[in-house]
């Protein structure tokens, strides 16, 4: 299942020029709109400016750790919904990957990354994000419907706890 990629903007962040070029090329060939940064501070600036859907973020950067950049993205309400995939050729142990994921990354890949694996991971988390958004929208719609009904409506969960009560009730 392929998804529309031409509307997806990705910020590729890597201080290793050859790696930056290679990943950007793979992403562009897959149809993504790709922007690049080589430092953490540039990554943060561009994330704010471009409002990308995803940041492909190297952990080892010359100015600020990619872990710190991920933390800043995920704790800034204006950009916290942006997906972050951390990558590293240096920090490849299980503890490194766990630290990255528990620090807010949506995925963590170790390099070298096979092109097909990179694209598959990006598409997978984009699908998950789309599904999450659809569920949130459906819940909001249902809540609006339930609240606007002219009769008393009370909904409960399986344990009998009230989950929604409309104004009439």
């Amino acid at each position: 299942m392929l998804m529309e990629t031409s509307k997806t903007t990705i910020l590729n962040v890597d201080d290793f020029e050859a790696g930056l070029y290679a990943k950007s090329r793979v992403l562009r060939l897959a149809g993504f709109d790709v922007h690049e940064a080589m430092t953490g501070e540039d990554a943060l600036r561009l994330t704010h400016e471009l409002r990308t859907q995803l940041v492909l973020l190297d952990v080892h950067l010359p100015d600020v750790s990619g872990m710190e950049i991920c933390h800043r993205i995920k704790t800034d309400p204006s950009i916290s919904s942006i997906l972050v995939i951390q990558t590293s050729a240096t920090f490849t142990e299980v503890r490194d990957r766990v630290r990255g994921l528990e620090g807010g990354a949506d995925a963590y890949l170790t390099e070298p990354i096979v092109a097909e694996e990179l694209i598959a991971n990006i598409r997978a988390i984009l699908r998950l994000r789309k599904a999450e958004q659809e569920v949130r929208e459906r819940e909001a719609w249902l809540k609006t419907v339930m609240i606007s009904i002219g009769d008393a409506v009370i909904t409960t969960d399986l344990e009998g706890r009230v989950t929604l009560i409309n104004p009439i009730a």
Side-chain angles (χ1 to χ4, degrees):
M1 173 180 148
L2 296 179
M3 66 181 306
E4 179 65 37
T5 57
S6 61
K7 294 178 183 164
T8 302
T9 302
I10 296 176
L11 177 61
N12 182 16
V13 185
D14 195 334
D15 64 323
F16 179 56
E17 208 166 327
L20 182 71
Y21 171 80
K23 286 183 279 189
S24 290
R25 184 171 189 278
V26 164
L27 296 171
R28 286 184 181 112
L29 287 172
F32 295 105
D33 177 26
V34 182
H35 299 267
E36 298 176 339
M38 294 184 76
T39 67
E41 292 302 327
D42 282 345
L44 280 175
R45 180 181 53 78
L46 288 170
T47 300
H48 278 95
E49 287 175 13
L50 299 170
R51 301 295 179 180
T52 62
Q53 283 79 38
L54 185 141
V55 177
L56 186 61
L57 179 63
D58 184 23
V59 173
H60 189 265
L61 296 171
D63 57 343
V64 183
S65 161
M67 297 277 187
E68 175 63 23
I69 297 302
C70 180
H71 174 75
R72 289 188 196 176
I73 290 170
K74 293 301 185 171
T75 57
D76 181 336
S78 69
I79 56 173
S80 63
S81 65
I82 294 173
L83 296 165
V84 176
I85 297 179
Q86 290 185 325
T87 66
S88 185
T90 308
F91 301 101
T92 60
E93 300 296 320
V94 170
R95 69 179 175 274
D96 301 317
R97 296 190 303 269
V98 168
R99 185 171 152 236
L101 293 167
E102 289 188 351
D106 298 286
Y108 193 109
L109 301 173
T110 56
E111 298 193 47
I113 305 168
V114 176
E116 294 84 4
E117 180 183 13
L118 175 61
I119 299 305
N121 271 276
I122 290 172
R123 287 184 176 149
I125 67 170
L126 288 172
R127 280 192 310 272
L128 287 172
R129 174 55 54 92
K130 182 179 178 194
E132 289 171 351
Q133 183 62 34
E134 288 170 355
V135 167
R136 280 192 292 277
E137 289 170 2
R138 188 70 161 171
E139 285 177 350
W141 173 82
L142 183 58
K143 188 173 185 176
T144 300
V145 167
M146 297 300 278
I147 289 171
S148 66
I149 292 175
D151 295 323
V153 176
I154 300 172
T155 61
T156 61
D157 62 17
L158 294 175
E159 284 80 37
R161 293 181 297 246
V162 174
T163 57
L164 181 121
I165 186 167
N166 73 347
I168 300 297

